[in-house]
């Protein structure tokens, strides 16, 4: 499923301090590695990226937003170097609290700051929770004419 959001009418939103953008210098790679392991305990995803992939992505102009309650990474959201959102994840112990929506808004803030007017992304059809979360953040299905 393809979804989109028009940023022309979007205004930068205040995001809680526990959601922040990190870069090569500010990312705690050990924290990230620990949460990747937690993710893998929950779901075996053959395409899961590693901390080495994270280094490569950040070196290639990807943007990374993390959720850090208590200064420990418990979620992430990527904006790739083609400006498409990738891999939203919130630890299962923190779901249902609106964190996914806040992370979407943080990502949209980044998109707006870099001058994007529209954002489009894909979500696997089986991922019902992500589809519901992204629609709550204002996204809609792409309609091809």
């Amino acid at each position: 499923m393809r979804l989109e959001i028009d940023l022309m009418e979007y205004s930068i939103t205040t995001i809680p301090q526990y959601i922040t953008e990190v870069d090569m210098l500010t990312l705690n790679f050990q924290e990230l590695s620990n949460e990747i392991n937690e993710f893998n305990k929950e779901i075996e995803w053959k395409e899961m990226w590693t901390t080495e992939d994270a280094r490569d992505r950040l070196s290639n102009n990807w943007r990374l937003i993390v959720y850090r309650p208590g200064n420990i990474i418990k979620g992430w959201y990527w904006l790739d170097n083609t400006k498409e959102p990738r891999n939203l994840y919130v630890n299962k112990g923190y779901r249902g609290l609106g964190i996914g929506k806040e992370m979407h808004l943080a990502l949209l803030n980044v998109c707006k700051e870099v001058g994007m007017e529209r954002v489009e992304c894909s979500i696997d059809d089986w991922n019902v929770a992500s589809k519901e979360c992204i629609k709550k953040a204002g996204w809609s299905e792409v309609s091809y004419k």
Side-chain angles (χ1 to χ4, degrees):
M1 167 185 283
R2 296 291 294 170
L3 294 122
E4 66 182 345
I5 190 163
D6 181 356
L7 295 180
M8 295 302 289
E9 297 179 24
Y10 177 79
S11 297
I12 299 290
T13 304
T14 301
I15 304 300
Q17 291 182 340
Y18 50 74
I19 295 176
T20 186
E21 184 176 3
V22 293
D23 58 24
M24 191 73 83
L25 298 175
T26 59
L27 176 59
N28 183 319
F29 284 91
Q30 185 58 54
E31 282 181 28
L32 180 63
S33 179
N34 293 345
E35 194 57 30
I36 288 172
N37 291 337
E38 288 297 312
F39 176 84
N40 279 327
K41 287 178 191 174
E42 181 181 343
I43 182 172
E44 286 296 322
W45 186 36
K46 293 180 175 95
E47 297 177 32
M48 184 58 193
W49 46 275
T50 65
T51 54
E52 196 55 42
D53 294 326
R55 288 180 202 282
D56 291 343
R57 289 176 174 191
L58 291 168
S59 294
N60 286 302
N61 300 316
W62 286 45
R63 309 283 291 265
L64 177 59
I65 294 165
V66 295
Y67 169 52
R68 296 185 76 229
N71 293 320
I72 298 172
I73 293 174
K74 290 296 178 184
W76 53 71
Y77 202 10
W78 288 97
L79 181 66
D80 74 16
N81 56 5
T82 69
K83 305 298 186 245
E84 183 167 336
R86 304 257 182 211
N87 309 122
L88 171 65
Y89 162 75
V90 176
N91 179 287
K92 67 181 177 180
Y94 297 88
R95 293 182 192 151
L97 303 174
I99 303 304
K101 181 179 178 182
E102 290 175 336
M103 292 181 74
H104 278 291
L105 295 173
L107 184 119
L108 294 178
N109 285 352
V110 170
C111 293
K112 186 77 171 186
E113 288 169 3
V114 299
M116 295 173 65
E117 296 178 359
R118 181 177 164 278
V119 183
E120 191 172 314
C121 71
S122 294
I123 298 179
D124 294 324
D125 289 333
W126 60 265
N127 198 339
V128 175
S130 286
K131 286 191 275 188
E132 289 175 5
C133 177
I134 198 167
K135 286 182 178 182
K136 285 180 186 175
W139 297 64
S140 58
E141 286 188 52
V142 174
S143 57
Y144 295 101
K145 298 175 183 176

